Amino acid sequence: MNTYTLDYLDQLEAESIYMMREVAAQFEKPALLFSGGKDSITLVHLAIKAFAPMKIPFPLVHIDTGHNFPEALAFRDYIAENINAELIVRKVEDTIRARNLTEPKGKFASRNWLQTHTLLDTIEEFQFDACIGGARRDEEKARAKERFFSVRDEFGQWDPKLQRPELWNIYNGRISKGENVRVFPISNWTELDVWNYIKKEHIELPSIYFSHDRDVIEFEGQLIAVSDFIRIDEHDTVVNKKVRYRTVGDMTCTAAVESSAVTLDEVVSEITASRISERGETRIDDKVTEAAMEDRKKGGYF
């Protein structure tokens, strides 16, 4: 008798697709948080496979800080149009004005902390009861504490000490009025898994993930892109380097890595050789405090 054994990428894909279908079955108004980055692009690809030949049954939602890489925004719009998905964009800048919030100051003035207000307002505006996100456990220790179905209370807050058990493949999406759930279908994936899957599935990505020439400043060992969103001081030296990005957040808080990798095979080789996590190497905002990410998540962040 012929038997077929799933390889590890097939197993990860099957788990994620199962979770996507669980979201569609258990929730009335889910949404997929989409930024144009590799993890959310992978989520969209998984959603397409989960519901083919139908279109995906939920909108793509982007909380736009106004400090994004143009390449990511262009790819966000391209993907939404290409798959005929509804794209909902809400801007942090509008929230700042509406709520009279204080704009961050400093050399790398990130609006990441303010994203939470816009996200929670958007959830309330559209009455979303589940938001699918691309967080992975290997990224950061606070994200390693999350369940696949992570319940947020009526204030959008997360309590890592009050999480539901998830036995085998049983996911409890039951919530009370005002609560919502964040769902992380690729939580068990690693950065290398994502890249190998992208390679296997021939998934398109923004050019920013591959080696290109970019003007940067060197700051505390990190390469920060020159943009209108950062403050360049007199002692800063602008240099042009061949770089790529391992993760794509705001231009104010995401560092590049020197790289000559222009193909998926070359990127996979670099990731395989790396001993530093993508966020540990390239995200400035996670270094604010030892518990920076967990503090944001408790307040309602992704």
Side-chain angles (χ1 to χ4, degrees):
M1 186 177 77
N2 291 329
T3 60
Y4 176 70
T5 302
L6 295 176
D7 72 14
Y8 83 101
L9 287 177
D10 291 331
Q11 292 179 39
L12 289 172
E13 178 191 73
E15 178 182 63
S16 300
I17 286 176
Y18 174 80
M19 216 163 304
M20 290 280 191
R21 292 171 177 165
E22 282 293 297
V23 170
Q26 293 196 42
F27 298 97
E28 294 182 5
K29 293 201 70 176
L32 192 154
L33 302 176
F34 184 68
S35 64
K38 72 179 188 308
D39 295 316
S40 59
I41 291 169
T42 299
L43 285 180
V44 169
H45 183 83
L46 290 164
I48 291 170
K49 296 189 80 168
F51 301 106
M54 300 184 301
K55 63 181 289 188
I56 62 174
F58 30 70
L60 308 181
V61 175
H62 183 213
I63 305 303
D64 184 355
T65 62
H67 293 167
N68 302 101
F69 287 90
E71 298 95 328
L73 291 180
F75 204 85
R76 175 202 70 185
D77 296 342
Y78 161 74
I79 287 289
E81 182 177 0
N82 193 48
I83 68 171
N84 192 28
E86 179 186 4
L87 175 63
I88 296 170
V89 178
R90 289 296 180 268
K91 298 183 177 181
V92 173
E93 190 169 345
D94 294 336
T95 306
I96 291 172
R97 285 198 298 264
R99 289 174 170 256
N100 196 28
L101 300 175
T102 301
E103 181 81 32
K105 302 290 193 298
K107 188 174 184 65
F108 306 114
S110 173
R111 289 175 172 172
N112 267 7
W113 286 82
L114 301 181
Q115 275 184 296
T116 299
H117 298 288
T118 310
L119 174 62
L120 296 181
D121 288 347
T122 304
I123 289 172
E124 184 176 358
E125 177 185 355
F126 293 94
Q127 295 297 295
F128 293 133
D129 51 2
C131 292
I132 302 167
R136 307 186 322 269
R137 291 190 176 116
D138 74 317
E139 289 182 278
E140 201 275 340
K141 58 188 179 183
R143 286 182 165 171
K145 297 179 181 180
E146 294 264 26
R147 299 290 194 267
F148 285 110
F149 277 27
S150 184
V151 179
R152 301 300 201 265
D153 65 21
E154 63 271 26
F155 302 106
Q157 297 176 333
W158 171 64
D159 187 342
K161 296 179 181 178
L162 295 177
Q163 297 196 82
R164 297 170 177 176
E166 292 180 338
L167 306 177
W168 303 288
N169 60 351
I170 299 173
Y171 304 107
N172 180 4
R174 188 173 300 172
I175 55 175
S176 302
K177 183 175 176 58
E179 294 179 333
N180 66 83
V181 173
R182 309 289 166 79
V183 181
F184 304 111
I186 61 171
S187 192
N188 276 344
W189 299 42
T190 66
E191 180 189 11
L192 186 57
D193 294 334
V194 171
W195 279 106
N196 278 324
Y197 185 74
I198 288 168
K199 176 183 170 183
K200 174 176 178 283
E201 295 289 305
H202 307 289
I203 299 172
E204 287 186 84
L205 291 178
S207 59
I208 197 170
Y209 283 108
F210 302 95
S211 180
H212 59 282
D213 293 319
R214 188 177 290 269
D215 287 340
V216 298
I217 61 171
E218 297 189 41
F219 182 81
E220 295 183 355
Q222 294 183 308
L223 303 176
I224 314 299
V226 172
S227 73
D228 294 336
F229 311 129
I230 68 170
R231 189 185 73 221
I232 299 178
D233 300 318
E234 290 183 6
H235 61 270
D236 289 323
T237 301
V238 176
V239 294
N240 187 272
K241 289 183 176 287
K242 284 194 174 298
V243 300
R244 69 174 185 85
Y245 286 85
R246 292 179 64 180
T247 180
V248 177
D250 278 2
M251 297 186 78
T252 56
C253 63
T254 309
V257 295
E258 283 198 75
S259 172
S260 59
V262 294
T263 67
L264 284 171
D265 283 331
E266 290 171 340
V267 170
V268 167
S269 293
E270 281 192 359
I271 299 300
T272 302
S274 176
R275 292 295 177 265
I276 306 174
S277 73
E278 60 192 297
R279 294 190 73 95
E281 184 173 20
T282 65
R283 292 303 288 266
I284 300 171
D285 51 335
D286 286 349
K287 302 175 191 278
V288 175
T289 69
E290 186 71 17
M293 174 62 78
E294 183 160 332
D295 290 341
R296 277 181 284 164
K297 291 180 77 66
K298 286 179 179 179
Y301 188 69
F302 305 139

